[in-house]
Amino acid sequence: MADDAMTAKAQGTVDPYTVVILRQRIEAIIREMVNALLKSGRSGVLNTALDFSCSLTDAKFQSVSVALGLPVHVGAIDLIPRAVAAKHGERLRPGDCYVNNSGYLGNTHCADFTLCVPVFHQGKLVFYTIARAHLGDMGFPIPSTYNPAARDVYEEGLMLPCVQIQREGHDIEGVVDICKANIRAPEQFYGDYLACLAAVRTGERRLMELCDRYGAETISRFLDEYQDHAERVTAQAIAELPAGRVTRTVRYDSELTQYPDGIPVTATLEVDPTAGRVTIDLTGNVDNLPLGINMTEATVLACCRMGTCNVLGPDVPRAAGAFRRITVKMRDGSAVGRPRFPAATSAATTNLCHLLAGHIQTLFADLKAGAGSAYGSVGLPGSCPVVSGRDPRRGDRPFVNQIIMGYWGGPAVGGEDGWLTYGSAASQGILWQSSVEIVEQQQPILIEELAIRQDSGGAGEFQGGPGSRVVMRPRFGPVRFAINAAAHDNPPEGVRGGAPGLPTRISKISTDGTATDLGITIDVTLQPGERLVSEACGGGGYGDPKVRAPERIRRDVADGLISSGKAASAYGSDRA
């Protein structure tokens, strides 16, 4: 150990033991930030579904670890401190805190309320801490955290374009007051804001202690060396892939007359194992749409970076150094690229994002057998609504919250069946599924059914994960449900001969038993006695169903994932 330390000192590098310690310390700091937000978040979407992420970068905007957050949240988290530095530059001071929810300034979408604190040590800027939380309401025209029908940014919620919200550690009251005045549940918002603040200030404090302990110069050298290490490991992993160029187009459900067969999403993957580089070209996609589903630079980069890293394997660090080896080509003014103002982006983390993230992984499946995945869930099922109204149990107080329940339908991958609680390629199983009892406690609704939707997963050598069937209803008075679904006309496809999953179906059941299909963009108020029925899509299958192992088929039937009829029709009566 002493020899290694002496060698590192002579070479001007950080010794391997300190490298391990610093990496683990930084991940522990991020974990402590996560715990601070989880334990103090006021809305259910934070304290039960964990729809938030925490991270940090150094002063050069290099992320060290994004393994503890939602992929769509953290895959391009470096854009947040870049925006802070670009806009506020030399004005940054200790004690400052900035808030950003603008998809035009590095944020994911406007419901992802993001705080960023510049961290100083001995008067020098050394880090940025970041907390990003999906809020239950952000002042939209309708009580929702998305507006997929928005025609432009002015039909979305309150915008906070990288503005200062704290100075010298104290709130700038005018900014907080503007937030409260524009949000339907202001006290819930303020509690969630304090939870985010607890996260970034906890990270700030711990990083200052780390610099005191090891020295800012040593930590800076470590961060640079670690990024170089991450880049080398990534290049080595890419070198194991076959060289090739693959293009694929998939379609997303359209509510626009100019796309009667669906909105096309096209990507080209090029792998150069000799150069150790992956290039993803998205420049051939359609222009910005008059809808709120346009993606942002942050969500496009996150889909491409994290989708590629999934294929390269767990040994590749999810860090800035790894992302150096992934080139993403996108254009301005594209629905799958950088939005051109005033394009609406409030659903940039769902919808097209879900499709693109899975799309990247299918390209690798086309390139190499056993790599990548099929498509998983696209859009949110009816069991993940934003619900709002008044709660008579609490003095008729207004409520608004997003529920995350029955968000399943994982894609089959080369070698494994789809993961049941995967959700989508944007969250990849990290979102927690809400408890029936807690949902009923937080909102005046009842969950009558939460079950696996039998036969919904796509058949294949490896079978897609099933979707869910959920039935919910108001408990006392009217409750408004806002849902941005998809996969109604274009369910998740399979790859390499695998079959698609079943499409999403969301319906309203009236008091007389009449069922009405609600489509994909839903804003409906249910009265007592009426029900919302959500049947979520299943994930696509991977590989030829005719070679699925018979014991897997029998187990699926015994577990209720598929019926005996589906087993016979999809896999062959002689093998079921």
Side-chain angles (χ1 to χ4, degrees):
M1 179 174 179
D3 290 343
D4 289 338
M6 291 177 63
T7 301
K9 184 175 181 180
Q11 296 174 345
T13 60
V14 182
D15 70 83
Y17 305 99
T18 303
V19 166
V20 172
I21 291 169
L22 288 176
R23 181 183 177 186
Q24 295 299 321
R25 285 288 297 272
I26 287 174
E27 290 194 353
I29 289 170
I30 297 173
R31 193 171 292 110
E32 189 173 355
M33 294 169 65
V34 169
N35 287 336
L37 205 162
L38 170 63
K39 292 180 179 179
S40 54
R42 191 165 295 179
S43 61
V45 73
L46 301 184
N47 61 36
T48 62
L50 273 73
D51 195 350
F52 68 85
S53 300
C54 299
S55 191
L56 57 87
T57 76
D58 64 11
K60 301 174 185 176
F61 317 118
Q62 298 180 120
S63 57
V64 181
S65 174
V66 297
L68 296 174
L70 275 66
V72 71
H73 277 178
V74 296
I77 199 72
D78 58 291
L79 297 182
I80 291 297
R82 290 180 191 276
V84 169
K87 186 170 183 179
H88 300 279
E90 297 299 321
R91 295 191 300 273
L92 298 180
R93 295 290 183 271
D96 286 354
C97 180
Y98 297 86
V99 59
N100 187 354
N101 75 334
S102 171
Y104 292 90
L105 291 171
N107 203 46
T108 42
H109 73 142
C110 58
D112 280 345
F113 183 86
T114 304
L115 296 186
C116 180
V117 164
V119 180
F120 290 81
H121 182 260
Q122 296 179 355
K124 182 180 179 181
L125 178 63
V126 288
F127 283 100
Y128 296 90
T129 59
I130 308 142
R132 171 172 285 156
H134 183 94
L135 299 189
D137 180 55
M138 203 61 207
F140 281 62
I142 62 173
S144 176
T145 53
Y146 314 95
N147 188 3
R151 290 167 293 182
D152 57 38
V153 71
Y154 302 110
E155 295 185 2
E156 298 183 319
L158 171 67
M159 285 296 167
L160 299 161
C162 195
V163 298
Q164 191 170 0
I165 197 169
Q166 278 203 331
R167 181 181 296 115
E168 296 181 349
H170 299 285
D171 287 350
I172 299 174
E173 293 185 2
V175 177
V176 176
D177 288 346
I178 288 172
C179 293
K180 288 182 176 181
N182 284 273
I183 291 175
R184 291 173 178 83
E187 294 310 312
Q188 176 177 292
F189 155 76
Y190 190 63
D192 289 340
Y193 160 63
L194 292 179
C196 293
L197 195 60
V200 290
R201 292 302 185 193
T202 295
E204 176 188 36
R205 185 169 62 254
R206 295 295 184 239
L207 287 169
M208 291 171 68
E209 293 170 355
L210 191 68
C211 290
D212 287 341
R213 172 71 173 81
Y214 291 94
E217 185 177 339
T218 296
I219 295 171
S220 178
R221 286 203 310 272
F222 153 72
L223 292 169
D224 289 340
E225 291 171 19
Y226 184 73
Q227 302 303 341
D228 292 341
H229 162 75
E231 184 176 11
R232 287 192 299 271
V233 172
T234 305
Q236 292 165 4
I238 294 171
E240 299 298 317
L241 294 172
R245 189 173 187 271
V246 180
T247 298
R248 173 185 274 259
T249 298
V250 66
R251 293 189 179 270
Y252 174 85
D253 288 2
S254 172
E255 296 177 295
L256 301 173
T257 56
Q258 61 264 46
Y259 298 108
D261 299 322
I263 298 166
V265 175
T266 300
T268 296
L269 169 72
E270 187 169 358
V271 175
D272 184 342
T274 303
R277 181 161 298 280
V278 167
T279 301
I280 298 168
D281 189 342
L282 304 171
T283 56
N285 284 293
V286 302
D287 290 343
N288 282 139
L289 302 163
L291 296 171
I293 64 175
N294 296 292
M295 295 184 69
T296 57
E297 182 180 13
T299 55
V300 170
L301 286 176
C303 287
C304 295
R305 289 172 173 178
M306 302 304 277
T308 299
C309 286
N310 286 345
V311 174
L312 297 181
D315 292 335
V316 171
R318 272 53 172 175
F323 302 152
R324 296 172 187 166
R325 291 286 168 167
I326 304 168
T327 299
V328 181
K329 297 179 180 179
M330 67 179 96
R331 65 183 181 86
D332 295 338
S334 173
V336 185
R338 297 182 192 89
R340 178 174 289 126
F341 193 85
T345 61
S346 62
T349 58
T350 52
N351 304 68
L352 288 176
C353 176
H354 291 172
L355 189 60
L356 177 63
H359 195 48
I360 300 305
Q361 295 176 178
T362 66
L363 291 169
F364 284 98
D366 290 343
L367 182 73
K368 177 184 178 182
S373 74
Y375 293 89
S377 289
V378 178
L380 296 172
S383 54
C384 294
V386 176
V387 293
S388 60
R390 291 186 174 274
D391 192 341
R393 301 171 301 176
R394 297 176 173 86
D396 214 34
R397 188 175 69 189
F399 70 90
V400 59
N401 184 42
Q402 183 174 14
I403 298 168
I404 304 294
M405 178 178 288
Y407 190 27
W408 301 345
V413 300
E416 295 293 340
D417 292 346
W419 182 1
L420 176 66
T421 57
Y422 183 81
S424 75
S427 57
Q428 297 179 8
I430 292 179
L431 280 178
W432 285 15
Q433 303 288 313
S434 298
S435 155
V436 169
E437 292 79 11
I438 292 177
V439 165
E440 293 178 343
Q441 180 187 61
Q442 290 177 335
Q443 292 87 204
I445 64 174
L446 288 175
I447 310 300
E448 292 190 344
E449 182 180 352
L450 170 60
I452 288 173
R453 185 186 182 192
Q454 193 178 60
D455 294 340
S456 58
E461 180 181 4
F462 303 100
Q463 187 168 266
S468 64
R469 175 181 164 85
V470 179
V471 180
M472 54 180 67
R473 64 178 174 85
R475 188 171 181 181
F476 304 112
V479 175
R480 192 172 181 178
F481 291 77
I483 305 162
N484 63 318
H488 184 280
D489 302 321
N490 296 277
E493 296 179 6
V495 293
R496 305 194 74 86
L502 287 184
T504 291
R505 291 290 183 266
I506 304 171
S507 56
K508 170 187 171 181
I509 309 299
S510 300
T511 53
D512 62 1
T514 303
T516 303
D517 186 278
L518 298 176
I520 59 172
T521 299
I522 301 167
D523 180 12
V524 61
T525 299
L526 297 187
Q527 303 295 332
E530 296 179 328
R531 289 165 172 78
L532 184 85
V533 178
S534 169
E535 295 181 302
C537 62
Y542 192 114
D544 186 356
K546 300 303 181 184
V547 298
R548 183 167 174 79
E551 60 271 18
R552 285 181 178 261
I553 302 170
R554 292 191 291 269
R555 184 193 63 196
D556 292 340
V557 173
D559 289 345
L561 300 182
I562 63 174
S563 63
S564 56
K566 169 72 177 289
S569 63
Y571 297 110
S573 56
D574 59 324
R575 304 176 66 248

